Every structure is written in C-alpha cells, then in structure tokens.
C-alpha cells in the first residue's frame, strides 16, 4: 500500500533543481495568511503545486511558440497558454503584472539614456559635481566669515556706545 504522504510530496528526484526557493514560498504564505500556522508538509505541497503550475504553463507556452514558428517564448505566448489551459481568471492579473514590468523597464531605459544622451563622460560629470560642491563650500565659508565680521563690528560699535554712555554718566557727576 502506498503512503499518502508520498502522493502529496513525492520523493526528491532529479527535477528538484527546478523548484522555487522555499524562502519565497514561505514569504508568500506569510503575506497571504499572517495569522495562520502552516505545517511543513503543507508548505512542501504548495511548493510542488507552484512548481507544477509553472511547468504546465511554460510547457503550453512552448507549444504556442512552436505552433507560431518562434524560437523564443514571449509574454503573449504565456497569456495564450493561460487561456488554453482554462486559467482565464489569471490572464487579467498576468496582463497587469506584464504592464507594470514594461513600465519599470521603460523607466530604467529612460533614466540610463538621459545620462548617455548628455554626451559627457561620467568622469567629467563627477569632476563637475565636485567643482560645484567646492564652490558651494567656498561661498558658504565666505558668507559665514561676513556674518562673523558683521557681528564683530556690531560688538565693537556696541562697546563704543557703552563706553560713550559711561563717559556721559561720569560727566554728570
């Protein structure tokens, strides 16, 4: 008689290298059900289910790719595989994730090309930045020195005023 445990969590095989990281599955579980404890065998089962799901979708996407005489599986192939396998409910969310990924990639491209489009080597930009910092420090030091000199002049003037006031008071006696 076979062990039900072996059916839920098959023994390790050569394909074990093709599983998701356990830490990732644990993180997903913790995010989705933070107040529930999940047994290790349930975690293993979820890990196997996730791996099998990915294998199923990628195999079907590969089939779609082959039918279209393409050599690279792209997002459209994966979305069609979801349709073919009856996972239409997942398709909308998958498309949303795809759009998010495209936006992030476009933003990265724009940021990297801005620097490249300047036509100025990175070393030159760094040198210019250091010059600007040095100039700002120098201006700040000059401003502080002017404030100090102004305070000194004010203090000297105040001292003279006090001295004059004292002299006037002496004259009154």
């Amino acid at each position: 008689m076979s062990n039900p445990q072996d059916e839920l969590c098959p023994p390790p095989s050569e394909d074990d290298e093709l599983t998701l990281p356990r830490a990732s599955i644990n993180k997903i579980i913790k995010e989705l059900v933070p107040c529930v404890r999940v047994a290790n065998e349930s975690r293993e089962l979820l890990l196997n289910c996730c791996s099998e799901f990915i294998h199923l979708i990628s195999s079907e996407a590969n089939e779609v790719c082959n039918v279209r005489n393409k050599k690279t599986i792209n997002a459209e192939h994966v979305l069609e595989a979801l349709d073919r396998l009856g996972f239409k409910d997942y398709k909308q969310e998958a498309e949303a994730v795809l759009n998010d990924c495209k936006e992030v990639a476009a933003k990265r491209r724009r940021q990297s090309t801005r620097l490249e489009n300047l036509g100025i080597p990175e070393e030159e930009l760094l040198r210019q930045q250091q010059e600007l910092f040095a100039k700002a420090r120098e201006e700040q030091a000059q401003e502080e020195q002017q404030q100090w000199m102004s305070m000194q002049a004010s203090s000297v003037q105040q001292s003279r005023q006090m001295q004059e006031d004292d002299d006037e008071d002496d004259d009154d006696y």
Side-chain angles (χ1 to χ4, degrees), residues 61-77:
N62 186 48
E63 192 63 35
V64 171
C65 184
N66 288 336
V67 166
R68 294 186 180 172
N69 295 320
K70 300 289 183 180
K71 294 187 182 212
T72 305
I73 296 172
N74 63 36
E76 288 73 29
H77 300 143

Side-chain angles (χ1 to χ4, degrees), residues 1-117:
M1 183 161 210
S2 71
N3 183 352
Q5 175 65 22
D6 289 340
E7 290 176 25
L8 293 176
C9 302
S13 67
E14 295 172 6
D15 291 338
D16 274 352
E17 296 173 16
L18 303 175
T19 62
L20 298 169
R22 281 177 175 71
S24 298
I25 297 296
N26 290 338
K27 184 177 178 186
I28 291 169
I29 293 169
K30 192 169 221 93
E31 286 176 6
L32 293 175
V33 285
C35 300
V36 176
R37 290 185 58 188
V38 179
N40 284 337
E41 67 184 40
S42 297
R43 291 175 190 273
E44 280 297 314
L45 177 60
L46 284 168
L47 179 68
N48 289 334
C49 290
C50 291
S51 297
E52 186 61 32
F53 179 76
I54 291 169
H55 181 75
L56 180 68
I57 298 298
S58 58
S59 294
E60 190 65 26
N62 186 48
E63 192 63 35
V64 171
C65 184
N66 288 336
V67 166
R68 294 186 180 172
N69 295 320
K70 300 289 183 180
K71 294 187 182 212
T72 305
I73 296 172
N74 63 36
E76 288 73 29
H77 300 143
V78 174
L79 294 172
E80 187 174 328
L82 287 170
D83 268 343
R84 283 180 166 195
L85 293 169
F87 295 110
K88 290 180 171 72
D89 295 345
Y90 293 111
K91 187 176 178 182
Q92 188 176 4
E93 191 163 338
E95 287 172 334
V97 170
L98 176 62
N99 290 333
D100 290 346
C101 290
K102 285 180 178 180
E103 286 176 20
V104 168
K107 186 175 180 182
R108 281 188 189 145
R109 278 194 302 273
R110 281 194 306 271
Q111 287 175 340
S112 69
T113 56
R114 283 184 194 153
L115 185 61
E116 293 165 2
N117 288 341

